[in-house]
Amino acid sequence: MATVELTFSALPAHVRTARLVATAIARRTGVAEALLDEVRLAVGEACSRAVEAHRLHCPGEPIRIELKDDSGRFEVTVTDAAPSDDLKAVDSSDGYRLVDAMLGIVPEMPGLGIAVIAGLADDVEVSPGPNGVKIRMSWPAAPTPNGLAAV
Amino acid sequence: MDLKLDHRTEDRLTIVEVEGEIDVYTAPRLRELLIDLVNKGNFHLLVNMEKVDFLDSTGLGVLVGGLKRVRAHDGSLELVCTQERILKIFRITGLTKVFGIYASVEEAKEAHGRDK
């Protein structure tokens, strides 16, 4: 198992860096080219959500992202240290309800990022806890003997 | 790539050209432009997404916010987009049913002309 871990401050500019790193490692791990856009978007959504939550609740705390190659899967876990207000508001599996919410009187769109992740990742687990939220997602990767695909 | 924004008005339609990445970092600039255009009386907007490399839910939120603003003035906000990777996020969120999405600026202008 090969693992890369990053921590970054809750600044919007760092989300792009996290996306780039995740996409590069996904490619190296053997995730199919056709899935790389999904990885990039889903990781960006998870990191954006974490950044917004930290900026509201704990701007000084870092966000952690773990990327690993585990038994033929590329797995990404984004962990924040903020309350999970947005996760209560929306059924993330139903985009049409989201649209109704967005076009209604509520100006904010809590949960939209989670809905996008759910629509993109092959396997998603959102774990709200007392000390923050953990979003784990994974995609199939080409298994190789040393944990890294040939490049 | 950073975000590049430009706009021009043709007849009663304001065409917003967007190039680059629309994410949590850059979306506020697009939001400011859309608000500014509406505040200056431009209520029929066409956002050309053909040169957008990346769009996330923050960007979607800005577009929906723009749509709500123009609708308050009986206006419209429509999109030009043929890129599958961008269209996918609209489909996932159900927003293909909310925005008029055209294959080209010309096609959108023709449709807008018919609706006038």
Side-chain angles (χ1 to χ4, degrees):
Chain A
M1 183 193 301
T3 303
V4 173
E5 277 188 41
L6 299 172
T7 57
F8 62 93
S9 305
L11 297 173
H14 292 335
V15 173
R16 181 167 185 260
T17 306
R19 283 201 309 264
L20 292 172
V21 170
T23 309
I25 295 174
R27 180 179 281 118
R28 191 163 175 76
T29 304
V31 174
E33 284 290 324
L35 293 177
L36 292 179
D37 274 337
E38 296 183 8
V39 172
R40 183 164 75 131
L41 183 51
V43 171
E45 292 290 355
C47 292
S48 296
R49 192 207 143 273
V51 165
E52 294 293 351
H54 273 226
R55 290 171 83 193
L56 276 177
H57 299 287
C58 50
E61 292 291 319
I63 292 153
R64 192 161 66 90
I65 176 168
E66 184 182 80
L67 309 114
K68 62 184 176 185
D69 166 20
D70 190 4
S71 306
R73 307 273 314 168
F74 172 63
E75 186 176 292
V76 182
T77 306
V78 177
T79 307
D80 68 55
S84 53
D85 303 341
D86 57 335
L87 300 181
K88 299 164 191 160
V90 177
D91 173 359
S92 64
S93 65
D94 191 340
Y96 299 105
R97 280 180 49 196
L98 277 170
V99 172
D100 290 342
M102 283 187 277
L103 295 176
I105 55 171
V106 182
E108 303 299 331
M109 293 179 295
L112 183 59
I114 297 287
V116 172
I117 295 168
L120 286 173
D122 189 50
D123 163 48
V124 186
E125 186 181 300
V126 181
S127 311
N131 301 316
V133 177
K134 184 180 282 192
I135 299 177
R136 188 194 56 74
M137 25 198 180
S138 76
W139 291 265
T144 57
N146 63 357
L148 293 175
V151 178
Chain B
M1 176 187 267
D2 203 358
L3 186 67
K4 287 186 190 170
L5 298 170
D6 199 1
H7 65 92
R8 65 185 185 277
T9 300
E10 297 181 9
D11 299 326
R12 289 174 56 235
L13 191 62
T14 301
I15 301 167
V16 179
E17 297 285 350
V18 187
E19 182 175 351
E21 299 189 339
I22 310 175
D23 68 0
V24 67
Y25 180 55
T26 61
R29 286 178 47 214
L30 179 60
R31 179 187 294 119
E32 283 168 20
L33 174 61
L34 296 179
I35 290 173
D36 189 49
L37 288 171
V38 173
N39 287 344
K40 289 177 177 164
N42 301 282
F43 303 138
H44 292 281
L45 307 179
L46 177 65
V47 181
N48 187 354
M49 313 275 289
E50 286 298 78
K51 292 182 179 172
V52 172
D53 301 318
F54 181 84
L55 174 75
D56 71 4
S57 62
T58 320
L60 286 180
V62 168
L63 293 172
V64 171
L67 181 63
K68 288 167 75 173
R69 280 188 174 81
V70 294
R71 279 189 177 175
H73 298 277
D74 293 324
S76 61
L77 191 157
E78 294 173 320
L79 310 171
V80 173
C81 183
T82 58
Q83 297 187 75
E84 184 53 34
R85 64 171 149 180
I86 303 293
L87 289 170
K88 185 169 186 172
I89 187 170
F90 283 95
R91 277 200 290 272
I92 287 170
T93 51
L95 286 171
T96 46
K97 294 183 182 300
V98 173
F99 289 103
I101 301 179
Y102 297 96
S104 68
V105 170
E106 288 67 31
E107 186 182 295
K109 282 168 67 178
E110 277 177 28
H112 186 72
R114 283 196 300 273
D115 292 342
K116 270 201 288 191

